[in-house]
Amino acid sequence: MEGTLLGQFMSEHERAVGLHLLFLSQVLRVEPESALNGPHAAENFDRATFGIGQVISHEPAVASQMPCALTLVESLRGAVRYGWDVHHGVAKFAANSLVILATCAEAKGSVRLASLEALYD
């Protein structure tokens, strides 16, 4: 199998990685008024964005094939929209991850399109 160690790990452990990413995505799929007011909410939002963004940035093609790919795109859409309330770097990192996914020629077409649409939202 070709690819990076991360890509190989993601392929070999798709279910576990997918469940972890879905858990992280739930942190980003919340109402910002209530979610970003807790004592650790902003830090959790930042870390979840970073975790999902790192996976997508380093393995966009593999990430796009995962069953949770569209959920991850929607979560990053929320991070772009509400990340500014946490720190400008959060929103910029989420947007960068979506750009990488949208421009990856090997990524699944529907996920690329959803990433592009998320950037225009």
Side-chain angles (χ1 to χ4, degrees), residues 17 19 25 39 55 68 71-73 76 79 84 89 96 98 103-104 117:
V17 171
L19 288 172
S25 74
V55 169
C68 64
T71 300
L72 298 178
V73 169
L76 288 174
W84 298 104
N96 187 55
L98 288 169
T103 59
C104 177
E117 289 172 351

Side-chain angles (χ1 to χ4, degrees), residues 25-96:
S25 74
Q26 294 309 303
V27 174
L28 304 180
R29 295 171 62 92
V30 294
E31 294 298 321
E33 297 81 30
S34 61
L36 300 178
N37 291 330
H40 302 289
E43 183 178 341
N44 292 339
F45 195 90
D46 183 12
R47 288 182 181 192
T49 302
F50 183 76
I52 294 169
Q54 282 289 89
V55 169
I56 288 177
S57 295
H58 290 286
E59 287 295 339
V62 177
S64 75
Q65 299 298 325
M66 298 185 76
C68 64
L70 291 174
T71 300
L72 298 178
V73 169
E74 285 301 311
S75 298
L76 288 174
R77 173 184 277 174
V80 170
R81 186 178 297 146
Y82 305 118
W84 298 104
D85 295 333
V86 175
H87 184 272
H88 68 276
V90 175
K92 290 187 331 187
F93 186 79
N96 187 55

Side-chain angles (χ1 to χ4, degrees), residues 77 80-81 95 98-99 102 112-121:
R77 173 184 277 174
V80 170
R81 186 178 297 146
L98 288 169
V99 168
R112 290 181 68 197
L113 181 60
S115 298
L116 185 61
E117 289 172 351
L119 290 164
Y120 283 106
D121 189 25

